[in-house]
Amino acid sequence: MTYCVAVKLKAGMVFLSDSRTNAGLDQISMFRKMIVYEKPGDRFMCLLSAGNLSISQSIREILQTEQLKDPDGGEPITIWNARSMFDAARVLGSAVRHVYQRDGEALRRSGIEFNASLIFGGQIRGEGMRLFQVYSPGNFIEATAETPFFQIGESKYGKPVLDRVITPDTPLEEATKCLLISMDSTLKSNLSVGLPLDLAVYEADRCTSDRVVCIDEHNAYFHMLRSTWGRKLREAFDQIEAPDWDPTGPLAAPSGRHAALRKITDPKDRLI
Amino acid sequence: MTYCVAVKLKAGMVFLSDSRTNAGLDQISMFRKMIVYEKPGDRFMCLLSAGNLSISQSIREILQTEQLKDPDGGEPITIWNARSMFDAARVLGSAVRHVYQRDGEALRRSGIEFNASLIFGGQIRGEGMRLFQVYSPGNFIEATAETPFFQIGESKYGKPVLDRVITPDTPLEEATKCLLISMDSTLKSNLSVGLPLDLAVYEADRCTSDRVVCIDEHNAYFHMLRSTWGRKLREAFDQIEAPDWDPTGPLAAPSGRHAALRKITDPKDRLI
């Protein structure tokens, strides 16, 4: 399995991926799922991938040389010369379709779904940052102010903290912390998501990043974050008043229009 | 969708279910997914159900009259006279199989999987409390000290807090609070899980419970818990030191054997 998450803020973008790949439970390997494409000052792009590893590796390989015809008759469009992230995402969609054309039918014959899920974001000089989620058919959607993050892979464990914290105004450092906590929840609940992590933080309008790190079990910050978050969560939990069963108290007092369940006390009791 | 969770502690058991049922996104109804069977002083049993509603309603209906042959030639075994929760769970498994025999083939012809997922727990006088998860084929597993809770339905959003808090020694009030927080995370992230909730708290060895309540949006305790938990989580989050990018600092300093990702800076760069 995999967990990757990316967020687009006013201040920049943050990308985070795990690196565990498994075929069943007994064949577990480390493969990195992030790739950063950069021409400093001109373009910064980050691709995160989930799904079948043979498909995502092929997509990445093909993406390096994939070309779209320029409707104006100019040079073919690649991720390296695209004038917009939208065009770069189209190039990526096209790479996905090429892999599908090559492998889709043979995979289907083996009962394997063509399964690729990608997050692709960044900035090309001359336009704002953009963040896309690209699906198996090569189509894609774009993050907006209302939905500033995308997750792929094992996304549910780590979603509650993102829902609570992330808005377009979240500062970069805070978003980085939030994504690492989201990853921590996922690591804790799903063994098939594993360290090390790749983290890339991009500041708006720089078209380059020097904040790309690999985080493993020895990383002091992640270590601190995991243990502090666990302890703070527990403290937060302990500070919430426990329920009491006083029949006029806040938990047990009748409220609204829904009665408590009627108990079934006999085989002849009707259920409805 | 559905979210149900139950936990077995030394002090007792807690059961919690939502009540939203949907067929697609535009047909949403309220159906209660908990049912309590009780002969006070003799047996307390609680059944939580997820999956296809027609199947789970049929199972509940049939369970009222389902009988297993007693190998010793005595009276047929029902949930009302079973001597152990294990036998009661067998009766439930048998009810599931009866519904499968009746509906399974017709459902399959319509492309619908026979999909039922049940949690069944309680206590019968003379033995300890027991908690089971029952699957579509009618087979079941039992909770242990190492795995003291079961979840069915939309379980992932609410799992991290259970993993962090629940042990067999957790007091009943604390477990109740924890299950409500687990439900809150699920409600927040999945629209197809909805209020009101049914909550049943059982104290060990009483073979009855007067702690069965329905919690809707007007419930003062749940209201307090939701807003306090959101605020406390945020405080916990804010108290964690933000990452800094000092190259010798805890986040960015090289650690372990994994190098940071190499950036791809040119179409001719090799990826591997």
Side-chain angles (χ1 to χ4, degrees), chain B residues 43-90:
Chain B
R43 64 194 57 216
F44 170 91
M45 297 176 290
C46 184
L47 175 64
L48 305 174
S49 51
N52 185 302
L53 181 65
S54 79
I55 296 172
S56 54
Q57 284 195 341
S58 290
I59 291 168
R60 289 157 55 148
E61 186 78 22
I62 287 180
L63 182 60
Q64 273 285 64
T65 52
E66 183 73 11
Q67 301 187 335
L68 286 182
K69 204 173 153 186
D70 179 4
D72 303 332
E75 206 183 334
I77 303 168
T78 71
I79 58 165
W80 294 104
N81 68 10
R83 304 279 289 278
S84 71
M85 279 300 297
F86 186 85
D87 277 353
R90 283 175 55 223

Short mmCIF file of all heavy atoms in Angstrom, two decimals, chain B residues 43-90:
data_model
loop_
_atom_site.label_atom_id
_atom_site.label_comp_id
_atom_site.label_asym_id
_atom_site.label_seq_id
_atom_site.Cartn_x
_atom_site.Cartn_y
_atom_site.Cartn_z
N ARG B 43 -29.21 -12.56 30.77
CA ARG B 43 -28.38 -12.34 29.58
C ARG B 43 -28.56 -10.92 29.05
O ARG B 43 -29.66 -10.35 29.10
CB ARG B 43 -28.69 -13.36 28.48
CG ARG B 43 -30.10 -13.31 27.91
CD ARG B 43 -30.36 -14.58 27.10
NE ARG B 43 -30.16 -15.74 27.95
CZ ARG B 43 -29.63 -16.91 27.54
NH1 ARG B 43 -29.30 -17.06 26.27
NH2 ARG B 43 -29.48 -17.90 28.38
N PHE B 44 -27.46 -10.38 28.59
CA PHE B 44 -27.48 -9.10 27.88
C PHE B 44 -26.69 -9.32 26.60
O PHE B 44 -25.55 -9.79 26.64
CB PHE B 44 -26.80 -8.00 28.73
CG PHE B 44 -26.57 -6.73 27.97
CD1 PHE B 44 -27.53 -5.72 27.96
CD2 PHE B 44 -25.40 -6.52 27.24
CE1 PHE B 44 -27.33 -4.54 27.24
CE2 PHE B 44 -25.20 -5.35 26.52
CZ PHE B 44 -26.17 -4.36 26.53
N MET B 45 -27.30 -9.02 25.47
CA MET B 45 -26.60 -9.19 24.19
C MET B 45 -26.87 -7.96 23.32
O MET B 45 -27.98 -7.43 23.34
CB MET B 45 -27.11 -10.44 23.48
CG MET B 45 -26.83 -11.73 24.26
SD MET B 45 -27.53 -13.21 23.47
CE MET B 45 -29.27 -12.92 23.72
N CYS B 46 -25.87 -7.57 22.57
CA CYS B 46 -26.03 -6.41 21.70
C CYS B 46 -25.51 -6.77 20.32
O CYS B 46 -24.43 -7.35 20.19
CB CYS B 46 -25.28 -5.21 22.28
SG CYS B 46 -25.51 -3.69 21.36
N LEU B 47 -26.31 -6.47 19.31
CA LEU B 47 -25.95 -6.78 17.93
C LEU B 47 -25.84 -5.49 17.14
O LEU B 47 -26.75 -4.65 17.18
CB LEU B 47 -27.05 -7.68 17.32
CG LEU B 47 -26.92 -8.02 15.83
CD1 LEU B 47 -25.68 -8.86 15.56
CD2 LEU B 47 -28.18 -8.77 15.36
N LEU B 48 -24.72 -5.32 16.43
CA LEU B 48 -24.52 -4.17 15.55
C LEU B 48 -24.37 -4.70 14.13
O LEU B 48 -23.70 -5.71 13.92
CB LEU B 48 -23.24 -3.42 15.94
CG LEU B 48 -23.12 -2.96 17.39
CD1 LEU B 48 -21.73 -2.36 17.63
CD2 LEU B 48 -24.20 -1.94 17.71
N SER B 49 -24.97 -4.02 13.17
CA SER B 49 -24.92 -4.56 11.81
C SER B 49 -24.52 -3.51 10.78
O SER B 49 -24.91 -2.35 10.85
CB SER B 49 -26.26 -5.18 11.43
OG SER B 49 -27.30 -4.27 11.69
N ALA B 50 -23.74 -3.95 9.80
CA ALA B 50 -23.37 -3.11 8.66
C ALA B 50 -23.56 -3.93 7.40
O ALA B 50 -23.73 -5.14 7.45
CB ALA B 50 -21.90 -2.67 8.77
N GLY B 51 -23.53 -3.27 6.28
CA GLY B 51 -23.68 -3.98 5.01
C GLY B 51 -25.06 -3.74 4.44
O GLY B 51 -25.77 -2.81 4.85
N ASN B 52 -25.45 -4.59 3.49
CA ASN B 52 -26.74 -4.47 2.83
C ASN B 52 -27.88 -4.50 3.86
O ASN B 52 -28.00 -5.43 4.64
CB ASN B 52 -26.85 -5.64 1.85
CG ASN B 52 -28.09 -5.58 1.00
OD1 ASN B 52 -29.19 -5.55 1.54
ND2 ASN B 52 -27.91 -5.55 -0.29
N LEU B 53 -28.71 -3.46 3.84
CA LEU B 53 -29.76 -3.34 4.87
C LEU B 53 -30.80 -4.45 4.77
O LEU B 53 -31.30 -4.94 5.79
CB LEU B 53 -30.44 -1.97 4.77
CG LEU B 53 -31.53 -1.70 5.81
CD1 LEU B 53 -30.95 -1.64 7.22
CD2 LEU B 53 -32.27 -0.40 5.50
N SER B 54 -31.14 -4.88 3.54
CA SER B 54 -32.15 -5.94 3.43
C SER B 54 -31.62 -7.21 4.07
O SER B 54 -32.37 -7.98 4.68
CB SER B 54 -32.53 -6.18 1.96
OG SER B 54 -31.56 -6.95 1.30
N ILE B 55 -30.32 -7.45 3.95
CA ILE B 55 -29.73 -8.64 4.55
C ILE B 55 -29.71 -8.50 6.07
O ILE B 55 -30.14 -9.41 6.79
CB ILE B 55 -28.30 -8.87 4.00
CG1 ILE B 55 -28.36 -9.16 2.50
CG2 ILE B 55 -27.62 -10.01 4.75
CD1 ILE B 55 -27.00 -9.22 1.83
N SER B 56 -29.26 -7.36 6.57
CA SER B 56 -29.13 -7.28 8.03
C SER B 56 -30.50 -7.25 8.72
O SER B 56 -30.69 -7.82 9.78
CB SER B 56 -28.23 -6.12 8.45
OG SER B 56 -28.66 -4.92 7.91
N GLN B 57 -31.49 -6.63 8.07
CA GLN B 57 -32.84 -6.68 8.66
C GLN B 57 -33.36 -8.12 8.68
O GLN B 57 -33.96 -8.55 9.67
CB GLN B 57 -33.80 -5.77 7.90
CG GLN B 57 -33.60 -4.29 8.21
CD GLN B 57 -34.75 -3.42 7.74
OE1 GLN B 57 -35.53 -3.83 6.89
NE2 GLN B 57 -34.85 -2.22 8.30
N SER B 58 -33.11 -8.86 7.61
CA SER B 58 -33.56 -10.25 7.58
C SER B 58 -32.87 -11.09 8.65
O SER B 58 -33.49 -11.93 9.31
CB SER B 58 -33.30 -10.87 6.21
OG SER B 58 -34.16 -10.30 5.25
N ILE B 59 -31.57 -10.83 8.80
CA ILE B 59 -30.84 -11.58 9.83
C ILE B 59 -31.45 -11.32 11.20
O ILE B 59 -31.68 -12.24 12.00
CB ILE B 59 -29.34 -11.18 9.82
CG1 ILE B 59 -28.66 -11.68 8.55
CG2 ILE B 59 -28.63 -11.74 11.05
CD1 ILE B 59 -27.28 -11.09 8.31
N ARG B 60 -31.74 -10.07 11.49
CA ARG B 60 -32.30 -9.72 12.79
C ARG B 60 -33.66 -10.36 12.99
O ARG B 60 -33.98 -10.85 14.08
CB ARG B 60 -32.38 -8.19 12.91
CG ARG B 60 -31.02 -7.55 13.06
CD ARG B 60 -30.97 -6.10 12.63
NE ARG B 60 -31.96 -5.29 13.31
CZ ARG B 60 -31.78 -4.00 13.62
NH1 ARG B 60 -30.66 -3.39 13.33
NH2 ARG B 60 -32.72 -3.33 14.24
N GLU B 61 -34.45 -10.37 11.93
CA GLU B 61 -35.79 -10.97 12.02
C GLU B 61 -35.66 -12.48 12.30
O GLU B 61 -36.29 -13.01 13.21
CB GLU B 61 -36.53 -10.73 10.70
CG GLU B 61 -37.97 -11.18 10.69
CD GLU B 61 -38.90 -10.21 11.40
OE1 GLU B 61 -38.53 -9.03 11.54
OE2 GLU B 61 -39.98 -10.66 11.84
N ILE B 62 -34.84 -13.13 11.50
CA ILE B 62 -34.68 -14.59 11.62
C ILE B 62 -34.03 -14.97 12.95
O ILE B 62 -34.36 -15.99 13.55
CB ILE B 62 -33.86 -15.11 10.42
CG1 ILE B 62 -34.72 -15.06 9.15
CG2 ILE B 62 -33.34 -16.51 10.66
CD1 ILE B 62 -34.02 -15.54 7.91
N LEU B 63 -33.13 -14.11 13.43
CA LEU B 63 -32.42 -14.43 14.67
C LEU B 63 -33.38 -14.65 15.83
O LEU B 63 -33.12 -15.46 16.73
CB LEU B 63 -31.42 -13.31 15.00
CG LEU B 63 -30.56 -13.51 16.25
CD1 LEU B 63 -29.72 -14.77 16.11
CD2 LEU B 63 -29.67 -12.31 16.50
N GLN B 64 -34.49 -13.95 15.81
CA GLN B 64 -35.46 -14.08 16.90
C GLN B 64 -35.98 -15.51 17.05
O GLN B 64 -36.36 -15.92 18.14
CB GLN B 64 -36.65 -13.13 16.68
CG GLN B 64 -36.42 -11.73 17.24
CD GLN B 64 -36.55 -11.71 18.75
OE1 GLN B 64 -35.77 -12.33 19.45
NE2 GLN B 64 -37.55 -10.99 19.24
N THR B 65 -36.02 -16.26 15.96
CA THR B 65 -36.60 -17.61 16.02
C THR B 65 -35.62 -18.69 15.60
O THR B 65 -35.98 -19.87 15.55
CB THR B 65 -37.84 -17.70 15.09
OG1 THR B 65 -37.44 -17.23 13.79
CG2 THR B 65 -38.96 -16.81 15.61
N GLU B 66 -34.40 -18.28 15.27
CA GLU B 66 -33.41 -19.25 14.78
C GLU B 66 -33.10 -20.29 15.86
O GLU B 66 -32.96 -19.96 17.04
CB GLU B 66 -32.13 -18.50 14.37
CG GLU B 66 -31.05 -19.36 13.77
CD GLU B 66 -31.37 -19.82 12.36
OE1 GLU B 66 -32.34 -19.29 11.75
OE2 GLU B 66 -30.66 -20.71 11.86
N GLN B 67 -32.96 -21.55 15.44
CA GLN B 67 -32.67 -22.62 16.38
C GLN B 67 -31.53 -23.48 15.88
O GLN B 67 -31.45 -23.76 14.69
CB GLN B 67 -33.90 -23.52 16.54
CG GLN B 67 -35.13 -22.77 17.04
CD GLN B 67 -36.27 -23.72 17.35
OE1 GLN B 67 -36.33 -24.82 16.79
NE2 GLN B 67 -37.17 -23.29 18.23
N LEU B 68 -30.67 -23.89 16.78
CA LEU B 68 -29.65 -24.89 16.45
C LEU B 68 -30.00 -26.16 17.19
O LEU B 68 -30.47 -26.12 18.33
CB LEU B 68 -28.27 -24.42 16.93
CG LEU B 68 -27.56 -23.32 16.17
CD1 LEU B 68 -26.20 -23.08 16.80
CD2 LEU B 68 -27.40 -23.70 14.71
N LYS B 69 -29.71 -27.28 16.56
CA LYS B 69 -29.96 -28.57 17.20
C LYS B 69 -28.99 -28.73 18.38
O LYS B 69 -27.80 -28.44 18.26
CB LYS B 69 -29.71 -29.67 16.18
CG LYS B 69 -30.45 -30.94 16.48
CD LYS B 69 -30.30 -31.94 15.34
CE LYS B 69 -30.44 -33.34 15.91
NZ LYS B 69 -30.17 -34.37 14.91
N ASP B 70 -29.48 -29.15 19.51
CA ASP B 70 -28.61 -29.42 20.65
C ASP B 70 -28.00 -30.81 20.47
O ASP B 70 -28.74 -31.79 20.36
CB ASP B 70 -29.43 -29.37 21.95
CG ASP B 70 -28.56 -29.66 23.16
OD1 ASP B 70 -27.34 -29.82 22.98
OD2 ASP B 70 -29.11 -29.73 24.28
N PRO B 71 -26.66 -30.92 20.42
CA PRO B 71 -26.04 -32.23 20.20
C PRO B 71 -26.39 -33.23 21.29
O PRO B 71 -26.36 -34.44 21.08
CB PRO B 71 -24.54 -31.92 20.18
CG PRO B 71 -24.38 -30.57 20.81
CD PRO B 71 -25.67 -29.84 20.60
N ASP B 72 -26.73 -32.75 22.49
CA ASP B 72 -27.08 -33.67 23.57
C ASP B 72 -28.57 -34.03 23.56
O ASP B 72 -29.08 -34.63 24.51
CB ASP B 72 -26.73 -33.03 24.93
CG ASP B 72 -25.26 -32.65 25.01
OD1 ASP B 72 -24.46 -33.33 24.32
OD2 ASP B 72 -24.93 -31.69 25.70
N GLY B 73 -29.28 -33.64 22.50
CA GLY B 73 -30.68 -34.03 22.38
C GLY B 73 -31.62 -33.20 23.22
O GLY B 73 -32.81 -33.53 23.35
N GLY B 74 -31.13 -32.10 23.78
CA GLY B 74 -32.00 -31.23 24.57
C GLY B 74 -32.80 -30.29 23.68
O GLY B 74 -32.88 -30.45 22.46
N GLU B 75 -33.39 -29.31 24.33
CA GLU B 75 -34.16 -28.29 23.63
C GLU B 75 -33.29 -27.59 22.58
O GLU B 75 -32.11 -27.36 22.82
CB GLU B 75 -34.59 -27.26 24.70
CG GLU B 75 -35.84 -26.49 24.40
CD GLU B 75 -36.09 -25.45 25.52
OE1 GLU B 75 -35.61 -25.71 26.66
OE2 GLU B 75 -36.70 -24.42 25.26
N PRO B 76 -33.83 -27.22 21.41
CA PRO B 76 -33.02 -26.51 20.42
C PRO B 76 -32.45 -25.22 21.01
O PRO B 76 -33.09 -24.57 21.84
CB PRO B 76 -34.01 -26.20 19.30
CG PRO B 76 -35.15 -27.14 19.49
CD PRO B 76 -35.21 -27.45 20.97
N ILE B 77 -31.27 -24.87 20.55
CA ILE B 77 -30.56 -23.70 21.09
C ILE B 77 -30.98 -22.44 20.35
O ILE B 77 -30.95 -22.38 19.12
CB ILE B 77 -29.03 -23.88 20.96
CG1 ILE B 77 -28.60 -25.17 21.68
CG2 ILE B 77 -28.29 -22.68 21.52
CD1 ILE B 77 -27.17 -25.58 21.36
N THR B 78 -31.38 -21.42 21.10
CA THR B 78 -31.69 -20.11 20.54
C THR B 78 -30.84 -19.07 21.28
O THR B 78 -30.17 -19.40 22.26
CB THR B 78 -33.18 -19.74 20.74
OG1 THR B 78 -33.38 -19.47 22.14
CG2 THR B 78 -34.09 -20.90 20.33
N ILE B 79 -30.92 -17.81 20.82
CA ILE B 79 -30.18 -16.80 21.58
C ILE B 79 -30.79 -16.62 22.97
O ILE B 79 -30.15 -16.09 23.87
CB ILE B 79 -30.13 -15.43 20.85
CG1 ILE B 79 -31.53 -14.89 20.57
CG2 ILE B 79 -29.30 -15.51 19.58
CD1 ILE B 79 -31.54 -13.40 20.19
N TRP B 80 -32.04 -17.05 23.12
CA TRP B 80 -32.72 -16.82 24.40
C TRP B 80 -32.44 -17.88 25.45
O TRP B 80 -32.68 -17.67 26.63
CB TRP B 80 -34.23 -16.68 24.18
CG TRP B 80 -34.53 -15.44 23.39
CD1 TRP B 80 -34.86 -15.35 22.07
CD2 TRP B 80 -34.45 -14.10 23.88
NE1 TRP B 80 -35.00 -14.04 21.70
CE2 TRP B 80 -34.76 -13.25 22.79
CE3 TRP B 80 -34.15 -13.52 25.12
CZ2 TRP B 80 -34.78 -11.86 22.92
CZ3 TRP B 80 -34.17 -12.14 25.24
CH2 TRP B 80 -34.48 -11.33 24.15
N ASN B 81 -31.99 -19.06 24.99
CA ASN B 81 -31.67 -20.09 25.99
C ASN B 81 -30.21 -20.57 25.91
O ASN B 81 -29.81 -21.43 26.69
CB ASN B 81 -32.63 -21.30 25.85
CG ASN B 81 -32.41 -22.05 24.54
OD1 ASN B 81 -31.44 -21.80 23.83
ND2 ASN B 81 -33.31 -22.96 24.21
N ALA B 82 -29.42 -20.00 24.96
CA ALA B 82 -28.03 -20.46 24.82
C ALA B 82 -27.33 -20.35 26.17
O ALA B 82 -27.55 -19.40 26.93
CB ALA B 82 -27.31 -19.62 23.76
N ARG B 83 -26.45 -21.33 26.46
CA ARG B 83 -25.73 -21.31 27.73
C ARG B 83 -24.44 -20.51 27.65
O ARG B 83 -23.81 -20.25 28.66
CB ARG B 83 -25.40 -22.76 28.15
CG ARG B 83 -26.62 -23.68 28.23
CD ARG B 83 -27.34 -23.48 29.55
NE ARG B 83 -26.53 -24.04 30.62
CZ ARG B 83 -26.51 -25.35 30.95
NH1 ARG B 83 -27.28 -26.20 30.30
NH2 ARG B 83 -25.75 -25.78 31.94
N SER B 84 -24.03 -20.18 26.43
CA SER B 84 -22.80 -19.40 26.28
C SER B 84 -22.97 -18.43 25.12
O SER B 84 -23.76 -18.67 24.21
CB SER B 84 -21.61 -20.32 26.00
OG SER B 84 -21.72 -20.86 24.69
N MET B 85 -22.21 -17.35 25.17
CA MET B 85 -22.23 -16.40 24.06
C MET B 85 -21.69 -17.05 22.79
O MET B 85 -22.05 -16.67 21.69
CB MET B 85 -21.40 -15.16 24.41
CG MET B 85 -22.11 -14.14 25.27
SD MET B 85 -23.64 -13.45 24.52
CE MET B 85 -22.97 -12.61 23.08
N PHE B 86 -20.80 -18.03 22.96
CA PHE B 86 -20.29 -18.73 21.78
C PHE B 86 -21.44 -19.43 21.05
O PHE B 86 -21.57 -19.33 19.83
CB PHE B 86 -19.22 -19.74 22.20
CG PHE B 86 -18.54 -20.41 21.04
CD1 PHE B 86 -17.45 -19.80 20.42
CD2 PHE B 86 -18.98 -21.63 20.57
CE1 PHE B 86 -16.82 -20.40 19.34
CE2 PHE B 86 -18.36 -22.24 19.48
CZ PHE B 86 -17.28 -21.63 18.87
N ASP B 87 -22.29 -20.10 21.82
CA ASP B 87 -23.46 -20.74 21.20
C ASP B 87 -24.39 -19.70 20.59
O ASP B 87 -24.95 -19.89 19.51
CB ASP B 87 -24.21 -21.58 22.23
CG ASP B 87 -23.59 -22.97 22.40
OD1 ASP B 87 -22.67 -23.31 21.61
OD2 ASP B 87 -24.01 -23.71 23.31
N ALA B 88 -24.58 -18.58 21.29
CA ALA B 88 -25.44 -17.53 20.73
C ALA B 88 -24.86 -17.01 19.42
O ALA B 88 -25.61 -16.76 18.45
CB ALA B 88 -25.60 -16.39 21.75
N ALA B 89 -23.53 -16.89 19.35
CA ALA B 89 -22.90 -16.44 18.10
C ALA B 89 -23.09 -17.48 17.00
O ALA B 89 -23.26 -17.14 15.82
CB ALA B 89 -21.41 -16.15 18.33
N ARG B 90 -23.09 -18.77 17.38
CA ARG B 90 -23.36 -19.83 16.39
C ARG B 90 -24.79 -19.70 15.85
O ARG B 90 -25.04 -19.89 14.66
CB ARG B 90 -23.16 -21.21 16.99
CG ARG B 90 -21.69 -21.61 17.14
CD ARG B 90 -21.58 -22.95 17.87
NE ARG B 90 -22.37 -24.00 17.21
CZ ARG B 90 -23.14 -24.89 17.83
NH1 ARG B 90 -23.22 -24.90 19.15
NH2 ARG B 90 -23.83 -25.78 17.14
#
